[in-house]
Amino acid sequence: MNTQQIFGLQFLLSLLVYALIARWYVGPHLASLPVGQALQPLLALHAFRHLGMVFLVPTVVGGTLPPSFAVAAAYGDLLAGLLALVAIVALRARAAIAMPLTWLFNVFGLLDLVNAFYQGLSHDVRLGAAYYIPTFIVPALVITHVMIFRLLLRHPLAAGGHLPASSHL
């Protein structure tokens, strides 16, 4: 196998494993919770996306990455992580803006991942020690984005209403 085939296999297998974990363990547990509470642990994983700033650290990525990839991926991840954190705080506070913030985070965060993946492939980016990010972390982020969309679409507040006081956050 060549490097791209190994990368593709690792990405797909990680995606499969995370999808199975979500279906068998995480999803059934979250289904028993009020939506605001169920969203929080999924968002918490994304609150660590500041780690994407590593794309700007040449000693970690094995050299300087193309700026069209590195800058967009690093700052996109940083913004997605901050949006996730703000959405968690808003959900916990039962703020009227909680669901719209969660929608904003989820749409932006998934588009950021798709863009970074596309830019990385189109520029044949070599990540050095940061190789684990797209092969291990990104698949988990993609699965949790899908889970968040499912929760948002199944919830009556999907149109952007606010969380009632009885939502048990």
Side-chain angles (χ1 to χ4, degrees):
M1 290 182 132
N2 66 34
T3 305
Q4 285 184 324
Q5 291 169 327
I6 293 169
F7 173 84
L9 179 63
Q10 289 177 315
F11 177 82
L12 289 174
L13 287 175
S14 290
L15 196 64
L16 174 65
V17 171
Y18 284 124
L20 293 174
I21 290 169
R23 182 167 177 85
W24 292 341
Y25 304 106
V26 180
H29 175 70
L30 295 180
S32 67
L33 300 175
V35 70
Q37 195 173 352
L39 287 167
Q40 292 175 46
L42 299 174
L43 289 164
L45 177 64
H46 291 271
F48 285 97
R49 284 178 67 171
H50 59 274
L51 295 173
M53 295 296 288
V54 75
F55 295 133
L56 300 175
V57 182
T59 56
V60 175
V61 293
T64 303
L65 297 175
S68 58
F69 166 79
V71 172
Y75 287 105
D77 274 351
L78 178 62
L79 180 55
L82 292 172
L83 285 170
L85 189 56
V86 171
I88 292 169
V89 170
L91 286 165
R92 294 193 60 80
R94 295 184 185 102
I97 197 164
M99 294 307 255
L101 271 173
T102 304
W103 272 103
L104 175 64
F105 153 75
N106 214 41
V107 170
F108 175 82
L110 185 57
L111 289 175
D112 172 62
L113 290 177
V114 169
N115 181 57
F117 205 79
Y118 172 76
Q119 292 297 326
L121 290 175
S122 65
H123 289 92
D124 195 28
V125 170
R126 304 289 180 199
L127 295 173
Y131 184 84
Y132 69 91
I133 293 174
T135 58
F136 184 71
I137 295 174
V138 169
L141 297 175
V142 169
I143 294 299
T144 54
H145 272 297
V146 170
M147 294 177 77
I148 291 168
F149 275 125
R150 289 183 69 169
L151 284 168
L152 290 170
L153 290 171
R154 289 183 180 171
H155 193 269
L157 299 177
H162 63 81
L163 294 171
S166 63
S167 64
H168 300 93
L169 298 177

